[in-house]
Amino acid sequence: MIKNTARATIADVARQAGVSKATVSRFLNHRDTLLSAEIAERVEVAVAQLGYTPSPMAQALKRGRSRLIGLVVADITNPYSVAVLRGAEKACRAAGYLVMLFNLGNESQRESAAIQALLSYQVEGFILNTMGYDAGVDAARCGKPVVLVDRLHQGLDVDFVSLNNKQAIDLSAQHLLDAGYTELLLATEPLGGVSSRIERSAAFMSFIRDHNEKVSGCCLASDAGAADLDQALRALRERAKVGRAAVISSNAVVTLRIVAAMARLGWQLGADVGLIGIDETEWSPYVGPGISTVSQPTGELGRKAAECLLDRLQGRDVAPRTILLPGVLNVRGSSDPSRR
Amino acid sequence: MIKNTARATIADVARQAGVSKATVSRFLNHRDTLLSAEIAERVEVAVAQLGYTPSPMAQALKRGRSRLIGLVVADITNPYSVAVLRGAEKACRAAGYLVMLFNLGNESQRESAAIQALLSYQVEGFILNTMGYDAGVDAARCGKPVVLVDRLHQGLDVDFVSLNNKQAIDLSAQHLLDAGYTELLLATEPLGGVSSRIERSAAFMSFIRDHNEKVSGCCLASDAGAADLDQALRALRERAKVGRAAVISSNAVVTLRIVAAMARLGWQLGADVGLIGIDETEWSPYVGPGISTVSQPTGELGRKAAECLLDRLQGRDVAPRTILLPGVLNVRGSSDPSRR
DNA sequence: TTGTACGCGTTATCAC
DNA sequence: GTGATAACGCGTACAA
């Protein structure tokens, strides 16, 4: 194994090229500030020979710019977060930034610690997809730009990128209604101040109110155990005696819980109880008769988030923007038994 | 919104406490080197008042230690990688290290760039779950410890943590055999020099040889399109005229492809063709009659990888270790039609 | 156009 | 015990 080949420093390059460090630095940073072509040549060669790359650490220390962006996700296990992450990371990389990822593993009390850690590494801005228990505030307080994804933070008036929750819920509910389901249940994780959950519930209740002659429904916001969920589904079907019952699940995690409950109850997806879930996944088409979904434009959400941030990093100081992207309906057997 | 509160520096603390920077530094780093209790008190108070935290950047610059670990994954979309990542990140964090994640998005040519980027941020070591196209070598060349997860790199003799592929394949094949399947197919992505794929294929062929009186089988290593996969499955079933046919898929991605093919062909999982996949997923129990799997101890794999690295970071210089963890069988309907 | 000298925030080595 | 001081690798006034 070859030994510790210490990284070449700017001093090494300077020596090799027979110039001063300042000259090398200038060559690297502002090539426009014309240096004699001959010197430039010499430096260029030296850089190539030594395989020199500037130390971002030292650069960050000197100018405060680290070319680092902090990305905090509540739960990396959630495919939604990963998909958004991919889009954001790609956009940041294209702009010459490196993303430092911090995963909370659903321990929201670690949020402040995460921000602090990232802050200490001089990240220039944040993309936050977290619970928002007053942690993003720390970031904003330091004057670093912040973009929120999917979840608003109380008292934080910054750029926000998200699925258009109202549109997505309306799309789902209207589809269910069109498919002949009349008794609806929105299943979500406990609201707990998470804006997307709250918005989806509100949109759902609003839809129900607006269509109360044709359909009725209610919300189940809980992390309740299996027994409780089974009970809720039984009750739902009970209520639907005259019509047909269906569930809208507010994300992929909940969708899987509903599927598990249906399996326990021995009910057929679509036939016994309809189901449509927000969040498209790779497995949606293959579970039972296929699970209907509303796909989020996750890659695009991530890209937009990154764009907002980069925008501000380049100095544009505009009013906080809210970017809402529409979901797309994927109809499958779980909301249309005729399909299988 | 409150303005740019610049981070407090060690100099600020020193001034506030009426001591020198050196004293503050000593207080922070080696508290053992006794300082007068009175001074220690003063510094402690000043640190608290100013909410001072050392700048990892400056520390890294000075001592070369960044408390950063570079983690490169081939594809963050792969749940396996994410699960390993979680385990590793947790262990690193517990040891006071921050993980910098780099996702290749399956563009293996970016591997070298990733290592370079991470290297420039002075990461102290690497955990690599990548194709291994001679990139880890860069890392090792710099004398930084490297741990490989799941995939060996040619010419890189370092710590290696992985599923025991032979055990996992034997477990799968034996189970299929016990369940009455006699014509087996191992479906994998193109081998392409990826050690885990190669090992799984080899273990499979070895199993077939060792049990050739009871069972026969072959490998399908391809990223072939839908038509080709369908064709391969038809051929498989053809060969199994006298007995029953089953597929072992070498990871979750391939499992989903097989499921899709079965759906296209209108065949029943388990009854028409058996299936068992390496990699347990959250959806396995709910696709068709449930998909049998071999779960990898992903969290543990990540933890072990981190431990190996931290070990060397603390100076232990031992011979490269190979840690193989066993898989666990989850029998479901896809390999045991009686279950549903 | 190019080089010198200083400072970014730390830590380590010396004196005191 | 404690305080100057130099250095880590870099960027940039300033002088030349």
Side-chain angles (χ1 to χ4, degrees):
Chain A
M1 200 166 302
I2 305 162
K3 274 296 163 194
N4 202 323
T5 305
R7 290 169 47 81
T9 79
I10 200 170
D12 298 329
V13 178
R15 198 177 318 116
Q16 172 97 3
V19 299
S20 77
K21 295 191 299 178
T23 304
V24 178
S25 177
R26 273 191 288 261
F27 171 78
L28 267 31
N29 299 310
H30 3 249
R31 317 191 165 229
D32 49 329
T33 304
L34 264 40
L35 342 89
S36 69
E38 189 243 350
I39 293 259
E41 178 71 19
R42 291 224 306 269
V43 174
E44 185 155 19
V45 169
V47 167
Q49 283 182 340
L50 275 52
Y52 167 77
T53 13
S55 153
M57 290 282 183
Q59 287 182 315
L61 196 57
K62 184 60 189 161
R63 43 181 179 197
R65 301 193 50 195
S66 61
R67 313 236 59 151
L68 242 30
I69 285 177
L71 176 30
V72 188
V73 301
D75 179 18
I76 190 74
T77 282
N78 188 331
Y80 167 82
S81 297
V82 175
V84 171
L85 155 66
R86 289 195 68 179
E89 192 265 352
K90 193 164 183 176
C92 290
R93 179 158 40 83
Y97 283 82
L98 202 57
V99 170
M100 285 195 73
L101 175 72
F102 208 111
N103 172 38
L104 261 28
N106 265 332
E107 302 168 42
S108 47
Q109 73 281 8
R110 285 182 51 213
E111 187 163 348
S112 276
I115 304 258
Q116 288 305 329
L118 259 13
L119 226 34
S120 77
Y121 278 96
Q122 306 274 48
V123 299
E124 297 181 32
F126 289 90
I127 298 178
L128 264 26
N129 172 34
T130 63
M131 301 295 260
Y133 293 148
D134 86 351
V137 179
D138 298 355
R141 195 191 310 265
C142 292
K144 315 262 188 190
V146 174
V147 176
L148 266 21
V149 177
D150 191 66
R151 302 168 176 196
L152 285 167
H153 288 203
Q154 278 216 342
L156 204 55
D157 190 26
V158 299
D159 291 334
F160 175 60
V161 178
S162 162
L163 173 70
N164 184 331
N165 288 307
K166 174 145 184 57
Q167 177 264 353
I169 289 291
D170 282 353
L171 195 60
S172 310
Q174 186 64 52
H175 162 66
L176 251 21
L177 196 157
D178 293 344
Y181 296 96
T182 53
E183 183 68 38
L184 271 33
L185 177 74
L186 179 84
T188 170
E189 293 168 284
L191 302 187
V194 176
S195 68
S196 52
R197 297 178 189 163
I198 295 172
E199 283 180 15
R200 288 170 198 181
S201 305
F204 176 76
M205 293 316 290
S206 162
F207 182 94
I208 297 295
R209 269 196 309 279
D210 294 350
H211 300 74
N212 60 7
E213 71 288 356
K214 297 178 185 164
V215 64
S216 57
C218 64
C219 278
L220 173 66
S222 101
D223 257 334
D228 292 332
L229 187 51
D230 293 1
Q231 186 48 41
L233 289 180
R234 279 206 201 86
L236 168 68
R237 213 172 161 192
E238 196 66 29
R239 285 200 299 278
K241 250 190 211 112
V242 292
R244 291 167 62 216
V247 176
I248 299 179
S249 84
S250 75
N251 70 28
V253 174
V254 175
T255 299
L256 223 36
R257 275 193 213 144
I258 302 292
V259 168
M262 295 286 292
R264 282 193 301 270
L265 293 165
W267 293 355
Q268 295 296 315
L269 237 33
D272 293 322
V273 171
L275 173 63
I276 181 167
I278 290 185
D279 284 346
E280 167 73 349
T281 60
E282 45 179 8
W283 42 265
S284 299
Y286 307 113
V287 169
I291 297 177
S292 300
T293 63
V294 172
S295 9
Q296 298 201 45
T298 48
E300 186 67 7
L301 286 169
R303 209 166 63 77
K304 289 281 187 203
E307 277 173 8
C308 283
L309 198 57
L310 293 167
D311 228 34
R312 294 189 185 277
L313 254 22
Q314 280 157 21
R316 283 199 47 187
D317 193 14
V318 296
R321 291 157 286 189
T322 293
I323 298 182
L324 264 26
L325 265 30
V328 173
L329 187 64
N330 307 293
V331 177
R332 303 202 177 95
S334 75
S335 66
D336 182 358
S338 73
R339 299 216 162 207
R340 255 205 202 167
Chain B
M1 205 166 301
I2 306 161
K3 274 293 166 196
N4 201 325
T5 306
R7 289 168 49 80
T9 78
I10 200 170
D12 298 329
V13 178
R15 198 177 318 116
Q16 173 98 2
V19 298
S20 77
K21 294 192 301 177
T23 303
V24 178
S25 177
R26 271 192 291 262
F27 172 77
L28 265 34
N29 300 309
H30 1 251
R31 317 194 165 226
D32 49 329
T33 304
L34 264 40
L35 344 87
S36 69
E38 189 243 348
I39 293 258
E41 177 71 20
R42 291 223 307 269
V43 174
E44 185 156 17
V45 169
V47 166
Q49 283 182 341
L50 275 54
Y52 166 77
T53 13
S55 153
M57 292 282 184
Q59 287 182 318
L61 192 59
K62 184 58 188 161
R63 30 159 124 145
R65 301 193 50 195
S66 61
R67 312 236 61 148
L68 241 31
I69 285 178
L71 176 30
V72 188
V73 301
D75 178 20
I76 190 74
T77 282
N78 189 330
Y80 167 83
S81 298
V82 175
V84 171
L85 156 66
R86 289 195 68 180
E89 191 264 352
K90 193 164 184 179
C92 290
R93 178 157 41 83
Y97 284 82
L98 203 57
V99 170
M100 286 197 72
L101 175 71
F102 208 111
N103 172 37
L104 261 29
N106 264 333
E107 301 167 42
S108 46
Q109 72 281 7
R110 283 182 52 212
E111 187 164 348
S112 277
I115 304 260
Q116 288 305 329
L118 258 14
L119 226 33
S120 76
Y121 277 96
Q122 306 274 49
V123 298
E124 297 181 34
F126 289 91
I127 299 177
L128 264 27
N129 172 34
T130 62
M131 301 296 259
Y133 293 146
D134 86 353
V137 180
D138 298 356
R141 196 190 310 265
C142 293
K144 314 263 189 190
V146 174
V147 176
L148 266 21
V149 176
D150 191 66
R151 302 169 177 196
L152 286 166
H153 289 203
Q154 278 215 342
L156 203 56
D157 189 26
V158 299
D159 290 335
F160 175 60
V161 178
S162 163
L163 174 69
N164 184 332
N165 288 307
K166 174 146 186 53
Q167 177 264 352
I169 289 290
D170 282 353
L171 195 60
S172 310
Q174 186 64 51
H175 162 66
L176 251 21
L177 197 155
D178 294 344
Y181 296 96
T182 54
E183 183 69 36
L184 270 33
L185 177 73
L186 179 84
T188 170
E189 293 168 284
L191 302 188
V194 176
S195 68
S196 52
R197 296 178 190 163
I198 295 172
E199 282 180 16
R200 288 171 196 181
S201 305
F204 177 76
M205 293 317 289
S206 161
F207 182 94
I208 297 295
R209 270 197 308 279
D210 295 349
H211 300 74
N212 61 7
E213 69 287 355
K214 297 180 187 163
V215 65
S216 56
C218 63
C219 278
L220 173 66
S222 101
D223 257 334
D228 292 331
L229 187 51
D230 292 2
Q231 185 50 41
L233 289 180
R234 279 205 200 86
L236 169 69
R237 213 173 161 193
E238 196 66 28
R239 285 199 300 278
K241 249 190 212 115
V242 293
R244 292 168 61 216
V247 176
I248 299 178
S249 83
S250 75
N251 69 29
V253 174
V254 175
T255 300
L256 222 36
R257 276 194 213 143
I258 303 291
V259 167
M262 296 285 293
R264 282 193 301 270
L265 293 165
W267 294 355
Q268 295 297 314
L269 236 33
D272 293 323
V273 171
L275 173 63
I276 181 168
I278 290 184
D279 285 344
E280 166 74 349
T281 60
E282 45 181 8
W283 42 264
S284 298
Y286 308 113
V287 169
I291 298 177
S292 300
T293 61
V294 172
S295 9
Q296 299 202 45
T298 48
E300 186 66 8
L301 286 169
R303 208 166 64 78
K304 289 280 187 203
E307 277 173 10
C308 282
L309 199 56
L310 294 167
D311 227 34
R312 294 189 185 279
L313 254 22
Q314 279 157 21
R316 284 200 47 187
D317 193 14
V318 296
R321 289 156 286 188
T322 294
I323 297 182
L324 264 27
L325 265 29
V328 173
L329 188 63
N330 307 293
V331 178
R332 302 201 178 97
S334 74
S335 67
D336 181 357
S338 73
R339 297 215 164 210
R340 257 205 203 167

